[in-house]
Amino acid sequence: MPITVIEAISTLGAALSRHYPLGVSSIPRELGPDTANVAVYSPANHDVVLCFQPPGGGWKAVLLADKTDGVHHGLVENMPAGTRYGFYTDLDATQEELLLIDPEAVQLLLDPYGRYIDELTDAQGVTRYLSVRMDSGFDWGTVKRPNTPWRETVFYEAHVRGQTMLHPDVPEDIRGSYAGMAHPAMIQHLVDLGVTAVELLPVHFHIDEPHLHGTGMTNYWGYNTLGFFAPHVQYASAAAQAAGPQAVQAELKGMIKLLHMAGIEVILDVVYNHTAEGGSGGPSYSWRGLAEEQYYRMRDGHYFDTTGCGNTLNFGNPHVIKMAMDSLRYWVEEFHIDGFRFDLAVSLARDGEHAFNNQHPFLLAAATDGVLASTKLISEPWDIGYGGWQTGNFPTGWADWNDSFRDNVREVWLTDRAAMLAGYHHQGLAKFGDALGGSAAMFAASGRSRMATVNLITAHDGFTLADLTAYNHKHNEDNQEDSRDGTNNNRSWNHGVEGITNNPNTLSQRARTSRNLMATMLLALGVPLITAGDEIGRSQGGNNNVYCQDNEIAWVDWTMDDEAKTMLAATSRLLKIRKDFLAAQPSSYPTRGGQSFIHWFGADGAPMTPSVGATRTSVS
């Protein structure tokens, strides 16, 4: 490859630049709109070079002249919106050698605060990534965030691509895109169903893990982040991608605007627990090359991983907390996001000794921050490290995905019923009653009400609702891992036949069980979460780990046969019952302790006795 000719330039003067905010930011108007303040955290490196290419221009390189508290910074001219850039550093190189770098021959280090990532593949098939300076302008008009109260909230977990790839009423050219998610047919489905918020699987820029290369599979779910401030480009329509970064950004913002116009909140599933750089010795895309020992959790000089993904971001370091907080504020302020679901949230709350602390600075900062205070903060309250299961233990201001609710309800309607039919005893209904009542015992110690439990039966990870009733065992052969992947603890029941059957009695029983499961979740105290497609009986053919299946296995099938129509009608009706009931209750219900109660009745309509269950449960 020929050496790229670059122009080495100097900054406007270190005294004028700032070490805050990090990333590329505008500066006083008198210096011109194309002049930028550039700041990057890299404490161990003596020098950092910025390489940048203005639109239509050649590459330039500048040594960031000043360093304050580990942040290299400088003012740079001729760096307008649309400029591609990256950083280069080398502990063993002189300043002169650093400025000789060929930006087209190496992977420059991405800006951890970069607002867009451009992906380039050369003739040899080598892919490189570059940060891009963005203009954040967008016309939001008079559209405001819905600000739906917690007790009226119903989450709908969806994948931007999978939601519309097979939808017959969405035009083919925008299927699987932000624009497709915002199409009138899709929004009308959500409104008619009765959900109030879409919880989107990651839309931060992400890439495939190395082990998927050459398999024909990709990281479909997107839990492998390369940019915490950058939208995932491949979810934009082909037209938007062709038009460039501003069009991609505008399409995502347009999707959020249209959903808000329909009264639907947008929640982002965010992955701050690890990055796409993988384990020690993996590629240096950004954080590893800039400040590896500060960004990543270490023990005795080695990576200490509580995520199972090779690395874990070190939330014992204030710079990592600051990066996450700045990212969250950015998505709220610039994209009008309504809340966040935090993947493996326990890893975000481990202290310098790697132990979980429910008063961790990050948890408290997010819950009390002026920008984030009006958003919904939802933890996935576990990781794979020691003491990793913390459901019910997060502080006020947070809600938790309630896996205990999921497991208890599945057992009652699935494995316990199967056991009874086989002549064995079931486990009783005490835990089931607690789940219906909002899991009070689990959440009371943290000072939170029943609105802190996010009740779910299924999620993206695991069986769909229909597959819970059709498979006793996972069938993950298509993942090419000999079915070693995915959990074996599904608490499912196939109703006597494994998988597909034409037996009308079996199909009827499965459909009824699905409705029972859905009814239990939607009528229980707490905040329900529906997985996209469960309302129409979507199946994944028994695959309970479709993270790598960007195809019909994982996409929502919108074929509306009689079974799908029945399930949809039942789900919509249940949500209407829930909405009408809550509308008739005092505004304090069910959060004020001692002011409301749950009364339990048997199938005959008579109050239950202590021999069969509690006669009354206080709501605290």
Side-chain angles (χ1 to χ4, degrees), residues 24 33-36 38 50 52 54 76-81 83 85 133:
V24 176
D34 292 348
T35 301
V38 180
L50 167 73
F52 66 102
V76 181
E77 292 183 293
N78 192 26
M79 196 177 178
T83 296
Y85 69 98
R133 186 182 184 188

Side-chain angles (χ1 to χ4, degrees), residues 432-498:
F432 185 70
D434 183 61
L436 284 172
S439 304
M442 179 173 290
F443 287 87
S446 65
R448 293 179 292 167
S449 75
R450 285 160 168 80
M451 291 298 97
T453 171
V454 176
N455 297 331
L456 66 156
I457 303 296
T458 66
H460 64 277
D461 187 1
F463 278 152
T464 67
L465 186 62
D467 286 353
L468 279 175
T469 71
Y471 295 92
N472 283 354
H473 311 286
K474 64 186 180 184
H475 296 266
N476 296 1
E477 293 78 11
D478 288 315
N479 296 355
Q480 301 179 30
E481 297 181 37
D482 297 324
S483 283
R484 294 187 302 273
D485 62 305
T487 182
N488 293 314
N489 188 20
N490 295 292
R491 293 176 169 87
S492 59
W493 175 37
N494 63 17
H495 291 75
V497 180
E498 185 74 359

Side-chain angles (χ1 to χ4, degrees), residues 491-556:
R491 293 176 169 87
S492 59
W493 175 37
N494 63 17
H495 291 75
V497 180
E498 185 74 359
I500 297 174
T501 179
N502 293 321
N503 186 301
N505 184 55
T506 301
L507 293 174
S508 176
Q509 289 182 27
R510 290 175 175 178
R512 183 175 183 178
T513 298
S514 292
R515 294 194 297 271
N516 289 339
L517 286 161
M518 183 68 79
T520 302
M521 179 177 70
L522 297 185
L523 299 181
L525 287 179
V527 183
L529 179 142
I530 299 172
T531 304
D534 277 356
E535 76 276 19
I536 55 175
R538 180 177 74 93
S539 172
Q540 293 174 169
N543 192 322
N544 73 353
N545 189 33
V546 296
Y547 81 100
C548 56
Q549 299 295 336
D550 186 6
N551 50 49
E552 290 85 351
I553 295 174
W555 300 339
V556 176

Side-chain angles (χ1 to χ4, degrees), residues 511 515 535-537 559-570:
R515 294 194 297 271
E535 76 276 19
I536 55 175
T559 303
M560 296 300 293
D561 56 19
D562 289 342
E563 290 182 6
K565 292 176 181 177
T566 299
M567 188 66 198
L568 178 60

Side-chain angles (χ1 to χ4, degrees), residues 3-4 6 8 49 61 88 94-103:
I3 298 297
T4 304
I6 64 172
V49 164
Y88 183 75
T94 66
Q95 291 185 356
E96 292 75 15
E97 290 170 335
L98 288 174
L99 288 168
L100 294 176
I101 182 61
D102 179 0

